[in-house]
Amino acid sequence: MKICIWCKKDEVETTFNRVAHTIPQSLGGKNICVNVCDICNSYFGSPQNKKPSIEVIIKEAFLLSKLRLLGPENVGKNKIISKYSSEYFKLDLVKFQFDIKMKWKFHAHFLETLGRQFKRGIYKMYLEELERQFGGTLDPKYDFIREFSRYDIGDYPVFYFKREIIPIINEHLENPQIHFKKVHNTYVHDSQFFEFDLFGHVLGIATSRNYEITIDSYLKKTIEAKREFYTEFKEIVKFNDFDITLSVFDKK
């Protein structure tokens, strides 16, 4: 029997008819988490309390990065990306710069709101990919992710590590997924934190409600490990703390 990893309801209590992509299909995501009910799936794709939907913010953040990796020549009719449109941003595809559309520019705390939705989306993708690949995410130790991503309760960190050089691996663009193996010697994983690569970005998240116990040692280890190959470290608060246009390419 299916049990939703978000609301913990089973097939008697809710339905599981819709396909739940762990990473948005609009980004090329092909993988499905079968244990996401229709109501929770719809929640992530819908605006809530006048906030942009989590799925839209994830799409808008990473689609620009994917576009940068592919190049503008791959955008258009019968191309890898058929078109680019944004509810919130104006994009210059020549200079690869973006700006907030005027209708949103003067909304109070707009970038902070988008930043929080982005963080909730990162944890959402992590839990669904973990369930898809290994199962076991109904364990109460993941309740903090349910509270944050699904019910907007609490706040948990997403750390962003800006690379000096970005390796381009086409299969990661064609079928994006979270890789749980340690794929690079600069990625630091421990019992409280996990780092992964997605569309050229390296992100670190907490994997425990009690992450604050080891956060200082984790940050010290990970910053030291990345010292030679990364140019910047941030904890994401505002949406523009995340380098969605992969500006490292501007140096070339």
Side-chain angles (χ1 to χ4, degrees):
M1 179 174 286
K2 294 177 182 176
I3 301 176
C4 179
I5 65 169
W6 296 110
C7 64
K8 295 190 176 181
K9 292 180 180 179
D10 62 28
E11 291 174 283
V12 176
E13 302 169 284
T14 189
T15 58
F16 292 80
N17 297 322
R18 297 180 61 190
V19 172
H21 289 86
T22 59
I23 293 173
Q25 193 173 20
S26 56
L27 289 171
K30 298 180 176 66
N31 296 312
I32 306 299
C33 183
V34 297
N35 290 316
V36 176
C37 76
D38 295 337
I39 293 174
C40 291
N41 191 18
S42 177
Y43 172 85
F44 289 114
S46 305
Q48 304 289 333
N49 300 320
K50 298 182 180 180
K51 297 177 182 178
S53 80
I54 289 172
E55 183 172 319
V56 163
I57 292 306
I58 289 296
K59 181 202 81 170
E60 297 233 343
F62 287 108
L63 190 59
L64 291 182
S65 303
K66 182 175 181 178
L67 179 57
R68 189 72 189 260
L69 293 170
L70 289 170
E73 68 274 8
N74 287 300
V75 180
K77 189 176 181 180
N78 300 320
K79 301 291 182 66
I80 296 174
I81 298 177
S82 59
K83 64 179 180 177
Y84 173 81
S85 62
S86 172
E87 170 69 17
Y88 304 104
F89 305 107
K90 297 181 294 183
L91 176 67
D92 184 332
L93 287 178
V94 176
K95 297 180 180 178
F96 261 94
Q97 298 174 346
F98 78 99
D99 193 13
I100 301 171
K101 289 184 177 179
M102 190 60 68
K103 64 181 286 189
W104 299 106
K105 244 181 184 177
F106 302 106
H107 282 229
H109 309 296
F110 181 68
L111 288 173
E112 289 90 342
T113 297
L114 265 60
R116 181 174 174 85
Q117 296 296 84
F118 175 78
K119 293 197 302 177
R120 293 173 68 201
I122 295 298
Y123 279 91
K124 179 259 187 193
M125 292 190 293
Y126 167 79
L127 195 68
E128 291 186 1
E129 277 282 276
L130 190 64
E131 173 66 20
R132 177 184 73 83
Q133 296 185 41
F134 303 103
T137 61
L138 290 173
D139 191 308
K141 70 182 180 181
Y142 298 112
D143 284 349
F144 80 99
I145 297 181
R146 278 180 271 275
E147 293 165 9
F148 182 47
S149 289
R150 175 63 175 87
Y151 298 103
D152 202 10
I153 298 170
D155 192 17
Y156 295 91
V158 173
F159 300 108
Y160 179 56
F161 305 98
K162 189 173 180 179
R163 279 189 171 115
E164 188 171 343
I165 298 173
I166 296 177
I168 300 174
I169 304 174
N170 287 335
E171 66 181 73
H172 292 175
L173 299 178
E174 295 168 5
N175 184 24
Q177 58 188 297
I178 293 176
H179 296 274
F180 288 92
K181 292 182 180 179
K182 189 173 180 179
V183 295
H184 196 286
N185 62 9
T186 63
Y187 292 17
V188 174
H189 301 168
D190 63 21
S191 60
Q192 310 280 346
F193 296 91
F194 173 71
E195 296 175 2
F196 61 94
D197 185 308
L198 199 60
F199 295 105
H201 301 283
V202 176
L203 300 161
I205 63 172
T207 55
S208 167
R209 187 189 297 276
N210 302 314
Y211 71 91
E212 291 175 328
I213 296 172
T214 62
I215 189 170
D216 290 340
S217 62
Y218 159 68
L219 290 177
K220 183 178 179 180
K221 283 192 297 183
T222 195
I223 292 170
E224 176 60 26
K226 295 174 174 61
R227 183 169 50 84
E228 294 184 33
F229 304 103
Y230 291 73
T231 62
E232 193 174 359
F233 152 76
K234 283 186 178 181
E235 181 176 350
I236 292 176
V237 177
K238 297 181 179 181
F239 185 73
N240 58 351
D241 289 332
F242 178 70
D243 182 22
I244 66 176
T245 62
L246 291 173
S247 62
V248 64
F249 287 109
D250 296 339
K251 299 175 183 179
K252 294 184 178 182

